[in-house]
Amino acid sequence: MTPNLFTRIGPISINNPTILASGILGISINVFNRIYESGAGAVVTKSISVLPSDGYDGPNMFSIGDQGWLNAIGLSNPGVDNFSKILKQNKKIPIVVSLVGSNEHDFVNMIQKLRNMQILAYEINLSCPHVEKVGLDVGDDPDLVYRIIKNIDSITEVPIIAKVGLGSTNYLDTVRAACDGGADAITAINTLRAMSIDIETMRPILGNKIGGLSGKPIKTIAVRCVYEISSKYDIPIIGCGGISSWQDAIEFILAGASAVQIGSIINYKWLKIFSDINDGIIKYMSKKKIYSIGEMVGISKRF
Amino acid sequence: MTPNLFTRIGPISINNPTILASGILGISINVFNRIYESGAGAVVTKSISVLPSDGYDGPNMFSIGDQGWLNAIGLSNPGVDNFSKILKQNKKIPIVVSLVGSNEHDFVNMIQKLRNMQILAYEINLSCPHVEKVGLDVGDDPDLVYRIIKNIDSITEVPIIAKVGLGSTNYLDTVRAACDGGADAITAINTLRAMSIDIETMRPILGNKIGGLSGKPIKTIAVRCVYEISSKYDIPIIGCGGISSWQDAIEFILAGASAVQIGSIINYKWLKIFSDINDGIIKYMSKKKIYSIGEMVGISKRF
Amino acid sequence: MEFLRDFNKPHTCKIEYIINETPTVRTFVFSDTIMSKSLPGQFAMVWIPGINELPMSIMVSNEKNKAAFTVRKRGINSTALYNLKPGQNIGVRGPYGNNFNIKNGNILLVGGGTGLVPLMRLLKFVTPSNNVKLIIGASTQNEVFFENLAKILLKNNVHDIIITTIDGSYGRKGLVTDVVSELLNTTKFNGIYTCGPELMMFHTIKLAVSKKVFIQASVERIMKCGIGICGSCSMNENLICKDGTVFNGNYLLENNEFGFSYRDKSGSIIKYTSKV
Amino acid sequence: MEFLRDFNKPHTCKIEYIINETPTVRTFVFSDTIMSKSLPGQFAMVWIPGINELPMSIMVSNEKNKAAFTVRKRGINSTALYNLKPGQNIGVRGPYGNNFNIKNGNILLVGGGTGLVPLMRLLKFVTPSNNVKLIIGASTQNEVFFENLAKILLKNNVHDIIITTIDGSYGRKGLVTDVVSELLNTTKFNGIYTCGPELMMFHTIKLAVSKKVFIQASVERIMKCGIGICGSCSMNENLICKDGTVFNGNYLLENNEFGFSYRDKSGSIIKYTSKV
Ligand SMILES: Cc1cc2nc3c(=O)[nH]c(=O)nc-3n(C[C@H](O)[C@H](O)[C@H](O)COP(=O)(O)OP(=O)(O)OC[C@H]3O[C@@H](n4cnc5c(N)ncnc54)[C@H](O)[C@@H]3O)c2cc1C
Ligand SMILES: Cc1cc2nc3c(=O)[nH]c(=O)nc-3n(C[C@H](O)[C@H](O)[C@H](O)COP(=O)(O)OP(=O)(O)OC[C@H]3O[C@@H](n4cnc5c(N)ncnc54)[C@H](O)[C@@H]3O)c2cc1C
Ligand SMILES: Cc1cc2nc3c(=O)[nH]c(=O)nc-3n(C[C@H](O)[C@H](O)[C@H](O)COP(=O)(O)O)c2cc1C
Ligand SMILES: Cc1cc2nc3c(=O)[nH]c(=O)nc-3n(C[C@H](O)[C@H](O)[C@H](O)COP(=O)(O)O)c2cc1C
Ligand code: FES
Ligand code: FES
């Protein structure tokens, strides 16, 4: 028997557990294809909203050192109508469409416009930490989360992933609301609210002043969330946050993730990161005599 | 005019804005003295509880790289009775006594035992993220926070600092409850709940599995919290989290902090960090023609 | 400790002096060892505090350890940059992107407007054995700039500087592509380098490729991160900030977005309206 | 890539083999280049997965790139370590702490129990010109260990190994300090190095200091972090993990905690009950 990278995230099956995270390089179908050919098991689109949005003024993203990043792109995206034209071209790529909105109507509206397209799953962004009335502002309201997921579930057969982050309520309540509403999986976590001030000009650097922290600095927090969710609820999890190597990917899987999303590290390691992680996982599995990703998921909880 | 490091945190005055953070080296009066002589403006003790506590089994602390640390000491401390004997020896050091407890009675009880000692302020730990029924479990309950601070305020003239962190409610509500209860200042933030799993043994590394993330990785989150608190409330703030240089200290001051606490970086830079930061601040002030710390506090909010 | 600087974090620099190039174009000079060493075609992300951050080609300075940006005022952001005074701060991160591959022998540079900036840096890297022809395109006489600078930079080279203006008020009347077309018939070029309005580049490339001449163009797209993360600069499968900005002409001609469409700030695809 | 390892994060190693030293003491050998190069007096934090983490002096191994820990079973933690089998994992971080300053000429080593561990590593660092006397203290015959190892490590040195047991079942009857006292009268030592029970060290130091002989001791305190952060190892103004574990004897005698009190896991001060 040889180890196999195939993984199942509830109803979603992919050939390997590395997924491009939302908002990373994610608006062009040709870029998605390139990333898929580089080895990603699936790709998630930039979060799409009902109307197009230009996002915030810059600086939109910069490094804080040690492979940590701040960003406040402001959910710029072409809007669902333009995006559906892009998506129509998809033939073969396992694309997860990330959606962002303020209430159940926004999501229902968008999903109706995306009918009959080649979509692996929807990822509902309940966690962008720096745009008002969407993202975390929604995630922080478990009742609203329940209504949104329930409504989406009632109009589509496409699997639903709820993406959670750390906001101003207990994110585990958001997870529960999503589960109750019918979510098929959870992605954890999004960026964490953060800021930097330039001491020379004495100003906040990001155009939006406050943004989201991603990359290495958030890894141990993200691992903790995956572990907590998988200890408390019986729902498949996609780990995300600061993954930069195959070792990190394994750590998330041992914590309880069935797959992982890769974001900011792409700046350093570029698209090779997907095959690097997959190769590393295979070697680890061989050494440990583990033959499927499923066997590894959540092993650390035994101890 | 020459720049001056003196700073006022509400009713608390100290000669320079660098303070030893709670839980760092903080149980021996002779160690406090050494840190004070190394240049700290004040020191905060390890959080003291009603009864002595051995804390958790190890590993209690380790590095996650890039000057980030996980710890789960478990609030080990000699208890208020033993600690009051240690504290009695204090003659000249500006000591802030950190207290941890589950309800108003615990705090009142401890403060009664610490009467007539040389204490600069009490810091109420509402934010340790990995011990049950104290710390964040208290901080996450704004009504309880209000009662605790109110009760303490009614029995002592010593200034009260509430130390907040990011838990499972909106920490800004905790700040408001502390302000309403009569707190004189806020320390923000404590460590963030996090974990690491060793992929070789497949086990969580910390004895307590989950612990607190400190050091560089949390800096941008802490700056954000200081900025948010100072934008929303009119209460002096002590910034804490990932400060490792004078530039970092300035960043917190520009965000709204009147002083800063120094924790994990002591492992790398040892006790020289206090005078290093103070020297750097003085040079910066000279260059910018700023003569008092007070002038700098919160400048970034103008933009 | 400049070498320890984080290339990906805005580094604050003071504007030292300003050169008025035309009524709408100014050059801002600042000291920065790292930027001063950037290669032709590379760009920086320039933070205009309180306003926005814009990608800018890194302009040469004739002083050591200095670099510059040459800015045309267009929208509010570039206008805010244009209006900065000496002593004010900008933040720079980078340099980013790849660079032109300068061939030996006869080379032709074709630039329009601020697209001339990377070509001026390229002139700093030519060797005395390069025979250089430079075409500067502008709409009208007082929008022509860098002519003198180019002369100085080319003082050790056999060279020819050709100006074209659309209204004929200075140099030749017409488009740069008219000149390119003629030159391609008379001279055998070892390399052509172009930067400027996309349709100008597109046309120039078509001319060069039809003659099988090596040509590179520096492509512009909306850039929000500059570091291959946000995707705002995507053009088909390419991320201009990471794969570019410099591409070979024949590769660009195979691309069904270059010359035809670009993405606005929301990422929506916008077709170029002018005819090519 | 071992050199890139984070010294402050537990690094997993497999126990390769185990040596039974006495009925309650075992040595666990593992491969680790970094630990194998540690200096005498340095310690590691040893993670016993699922149990706890303990400070342990780093024991020598006679094989290259290997190191060891020599453990006496005491409480549940050390007993769990004692009971590990070959092939099982431990995590190690470090090495931490300063080291003995080995003088030339006549040196005396005074060790009790697992306090002998840093002294065995010290023997690896003596030069052939060192004339070495080693006193091994134990309660009874079958608690004596490292005698043969010491002989091997000292094969190139003029040396003398003296065993004392409290019950007189092996070697001399009595305490190590009796021997120290005698030797100080007959021999002029250039340096004395001691590690073992605190009161044994305290007494030895008093003897040496009264004769103005250079002496160093390696001090033990509860250690939770090992890296100068948690404060659990404080002894007056010192943090043993960071300022020590090795201190000069005269410095220790000025300290009103050394030899008199220590802190338990809660940080409460506990007085030593035995008389010195
Ligand atoms: C790699 C790169 C290098 C660049 N180098 C330079 C440089 O050296 N100097 C410089 O001045 N600019 C340069 N730019 C363009 C610059 O980044 C801005 O796009 C430009 O300054 C307009 O910004 P704005 O926000 O003020 O205008 P916007 O508000 O974006 O637009 C205002 C008006 O200007 C038009 N406009 C915007 N961008 C362009 C453009 N590139 N060409 C023609 N019209 C445009 C818009 O269509 C609109 O009508 C570069 C861009 C890239 C991607
Ligand atoms: C720098 C340093 C180096 C050390 N090196 C070694 C070593 O090489 N080998 C080794 O076996 N231990 C060594 N120790 C001691 C070790 O870390 C543990 O303290 C010891 O193994 C007991 O741990 P426990 O948790 O099992 O016992 P505990 O549960 O802490 O205690 C159980 C019983 O043992 C007694 N006890 C605990 N520690 C000691 C001690 N140090 N001396 C005498 N009695 C004690 C307690 O008083 C108690 O009665 C070292 C300690 C330090 C600080
Ligand atoms: C520039 C940028 C844009 C992002 N945009 C989105 C988005 O539109 N929707 C979303 O759910 N997450 C978005 N994220 C969050 C990422 O998907 C991911 O959750 C986060 O960056 C943590 O992963 P990382 O540390 O691997 O980057 C964005 C992150 C970055 C850095
Ligand atoms: C080992 C350790 C122990 C700590 N113990 C306490 C404590 O007892 N009480 C408390 O309020 N904070 C405690 N903290 C949190 C610190 O005071 C500080 O808020 C945190 O470490 C962030 O600062 P830093 O990044 O500079 O370390 C502890 C932190 C560490 C690393
Ligand atoms: S500008 Fe963000 S990917 Fe190119
Ligand atoms: S063991 Fe933590 S300070 Fe020494």
Side-chain angles (χ1 to χ4, degrees), chain C residues 15 22 39 43 76 92-93 114 139 162 206-207 225 256-258 268:
Chain C
I15 292 165
T22 79
L39 302 171
F43 67 97
I76 34 170
V92 294
R93 59 188 175 91
T114 54
S139 52
I162 304 149
K206 284 208 289 195
L207 292 169
C225 77
N256 65 10
E257 289 190 10
F258 179 76
S268 305

Side-chain angles (χ1 to χ4, degrees), chain B residues 23-31 34 52-55 57-65 69 73 76-78 82 86 196 198 200-201 203-205 263-264 266-268 270, chain D residues 6 8-10 12 14 47-53 76-77 89 93 223-225 227-232 234-239 242-243 256-257 263-269:
Chain B
I24 311 298
L25 301 179
I27 45 169
S28 156
I29 201 85
N30 298 307
V31 171
R34 181 171 167 197
S53 159
D54 281 355
D57 285 338
N60 293 114
M61 186 165 181
F62 62 92
S63 158
I64 57 158
W69 301 92
I73 301 281
S76 69
N77 79 90
N82 286 318
I86 297 176
S196 265
D198 173 58
E200 200 47 48
T201 58
R203 287 172 182 276
I205 300 175
S264 315
I266 287 179
N267 169 255
Y268 283 85
W270 204 218
Chain D
D6 185 344
N8 294 318
K9 183 172 184 177
T12 318
K14 269 201 177 24
W47 176 32
I48 314 145
I51 305 293
N52 210 330
E53 195 184 39
I76 34 170
N77 305 309
N89 282 315
R93 58 188 177 92
M223 290 185 182
K224 297 190 175 189
C225 76
I227 54 171
I229 288 292
C230 74
S232 67
S234 47
M235 182 176 81
N236 276 350
E237 80 275 17
N238 289 120
L239 285 313
K242 196 92 177 178
D243 300 319
N256 66 9
E257 290 190 11
R263 286 164 199 268
D264 66 9
K265 289 176 187 169
S266 79
S268 305
I269 295 175

Side-chain angles (χ1 to χ4, degrees), chain C residues 51-206:
Chain C
I51 306 291
N52 209 331
E53 195 183 41
L54 291 177
M56 286 281 150
S57 296
I58 304 162
M59 180 59 190
V60 290
S61 159
N62 48 14
E63 290 180 70
K64 220 187 144 217
N65 295 333
K66 293 192 181 173
F69 297 115
T70 297
V71 183
R72 180 188 296 280
K73 64 172 184 189
R74 282 192 276 242
I76 34 170
N77 307 308
S78 50
T79 303
L81 181 51
Y82 178 89
N83 287 332
L84 290 182
K85 302 274 167 287
Q88 287 192 287
N89 282 314
I90 51 171
V92 294
R93 59 188 175 91
Y96 294 127
N98 63 359
N99 55 281
F100 291 112
N101 168 1
I102 309 175
K103 298 284 185 184
N104 294 321
N106 279 332
I107 62 171
L108 171 64
L109 278 55
V110 183
T114 54
L116 285 161
V117 172
L119 302 183
M120 291 302 112
R121 188 166 278 279
L122 195 158
L123 291 184
K124 244 197 132 168
F125 286 78
V126 294
T127 56
S129 65
N130 274 125
N131 183 329
V132 183
K133 286 199 173 26
L134 164 66
I135 314 177
I136 295 178
S139 52
T140 183
Q141 173 160 26
N142 67 8
E143 283 301 335
V144 175
F145 58 99
F146 289 163
E147 186 183 0
N148 281 328
L149 176 70
K151 276 183 198 153
I152 296 165
L153 289 166
L154 285 170
K155 65 178 183 293
N156 300 321
N157 292 74
V158 177
H159 71 269
D160 195 1
I161 298 172
I162 304 149
I163 316 283
T164 70
T165 53
I166 294 176
D167 65 3
S169 54
Y170 187 57
R172 284 188 46 163
K173 182 178 162 78
L175 298 170
V176 291
T177 40
D178 303 337
V179 184
V180 172
S181 181
E182 279 171 35
L183 287 176
L184 279 168
N185 286 327
T186 56
T187 318
K188 202 175 146 22
F189 290 105
N190 300 88
I192 304 182
Y193 307 93
T194 181
C195 185
E198 188 155 318
L199 300 185
M200 177 203 95
M201 294 195 284
F202 184 63
H203 208 60
T204 303
I205 292 169
K206 284 208 289 195

